[in-house]
Amino acid sequence: MKQKDFKGLQNDIGYRFNKENLVTQALTHSSYAHEKNLKDLMDNERLEFLGDAVLELVSSEFLYQAHPEMNEGKMTKLRASLVCEQSLADCARQLKLGSYLRLGNGEDMTGGRERDSILSDALEALIGAMYLDGGFTSAKEFVLKFVLNDIEHKKLFYDSKTILQELIQNKYKKSLHYEPVSEEGPDHNKKFTVQAYMNDTPLMQGVGRTKKSAEQNAAYQSLLQFEAGNNFE
């Protein structure tokens, strides 16, 4: 993939790199660098390290200013849910970042373009590249627009298992558990389906690439039904 192929991404994020080698490096996975015998440190791992620090600072400042009533512990928990691996991977998918990644053939063939860890690392590397290219303000604007958007929805989704458990225990005095429904696909691209239960009453099903994410999705779908007035009784 040549540098010119990243113009679509730059249009989508509303930022044009002055040094296109930075965006190229941000989207170069170590498997590609090894396969192509690139020079040491030409993959995106150093940029990921930098982007992680920028992301933590921007998200911390955002929460500090947006929630003056929130103590340190609650801010730490909320920040963790907003910038966790799955949240960043979902953000990367919205930007179709996987289609721009430079991956080794083996990694590509085993589903690397959709792997949460690779996508989240690439997003952090992109933030790091933007910081080096355009300064803190450019990186901050990107994080606020694409990562720290729709906070309430993200908070509900990533805290869904905890919120649902508290709701069922406190309001209905019942227990919550999850049971597997199906497991499909090859090892590198699994799809799990689980069913959430309130005691013996089925709630909603959820699908995910891991059992944990499937449970999270089932909890989220169940919460949406409770909010819509369905008490499953």
Side-chain angles (χ1 to χ4, degrees):
M1 184 176 289
K2 299 178 181 178
Q3 291 181 358
K4 65 178 182 179
D5 295 326
F6 299 128
K7 288 183 178 179
L9 174 63
Q10 294 180 81
N11 289 336
D12 289 342
I13 65 177
Y15 180 81
R16 182 70 59 184
F17 277 83
N18 296 305
K19 300 177 181 178
E20 289 203 353
N21 62 302
L22 283 171
V23 67
T24 301
Q25 184 175 351
L27 297 170
T28 300
H29 189 255
S30 58
S31 61
Y32 181 92
H34 294 155
E35 188 174 284
K36 299 298 182 180
N37 295 315
L38 300 183
K39 295 179 181 179
D40 289 343
L41 309 179
M42 288 301 293
D43 58 34
N44 64 5
E45 292 179 356
R46 280 170 51 85
L47 286 174
E48 174 206 336
F49 169 82
L50 180 60
D52 177 68
V54 174
L55 179 60
E56 182 170 338
L57 177 57
V58 173
S59 57
S60 297
E61 179 191 37
F62 173 82
L63 293 175
Y64 183 87
Q65 294 180 343
H67 297 281
E69 80 292 347
M70 193 174 288
N71 63 31
E72 183 267 347
K74 290 182 178 179
M75 285 194 296
T76 298
K77 181 179 179 182
L78 179 53
R79 182 182 64 193
S81 67
L82 294 175
V83 300
C84 68
E85 180 180 281
Q86 186 177 350
S87 178
L88 297 181
D90 288 343
C91 176
R93 290 189 181 95
Q94 291 174 12
L95 295 172
K96 299 179 181 178
L97 211 57
S99 64
Y100 295 98
L101 288 174
R102 303 205 300 177
L103 298 176
N105 288 329
E107 195 68 64
D108 199 358
M109 293 176 62
T110 56
R113 294 186 187 279
E114 282 298 316
R115 190 163 296 129
D116 282 359
S117 59
I118 291 178
L119 288 172
S120 62
D121 289 350
L123 185 69
E124 289 182 331
L126 186 64
I127 294 169
M130 204 172 298
Y131 170 77
L132 291 178
D133 188 74
F136 180 73
T137 299
S138 296
K140 179 179 178 179
E141 288 177 353
F142 173 84
V143 172
L144 292 176
K145 183 176 180 179
F146 293 105
V147 181
L148 300 178
N149 58 346
D150 201 7
I151 296 296
E152 292 305 314
H153 173 270
K154 288 182 176 179
K155 182 179 178 182
L156 176 64
F157 182 77
Y158 292 107
D159 290 343
S160 55
K161 291 180 69 175
T162 300
I163 295 172
L164 181 61
Q165 183 171 336
E166 291 176 350
L167 171 68
I168 289 175
Q169 288 178 342
N170 297 335
K171 184 175 181 178
Y172 297 95
K173 311 301 179 184
K174 296 180 180 180
S175 62
L176 170 68
H177 69 279
Y178 303 88
E179 294 185 6
V181 174
S182 65
E183 178 180 330
E184 304 172 5
D187 289 342
H188 67 269
N189 191 26
K190 288 285 188 183
K191 184 176 79 170
F192 296 89
T193 302
V194 303
Q195 174 75 56
Y197 286 90
M198 179 170 61
N199 279 4
D200 295 327
T201 302
L203 302 179
M204 299 298 292
Q205 290 188 356
V207 178
R209 295 179 180 277
T210 65
K211 291 179 181 178
K212 182 179 179 180
S213 63
E215 290 176 357
Q216 183 171 281
N217 187 258
Y220 176 68
Q221 298 300 330
S222 299
L223 282 171
L224 293 181
Q225 287 298 309
F226 277 116
E227 287 187 349
N230 183 357
N231 60 13
F232 296 96
E233 293 181 346

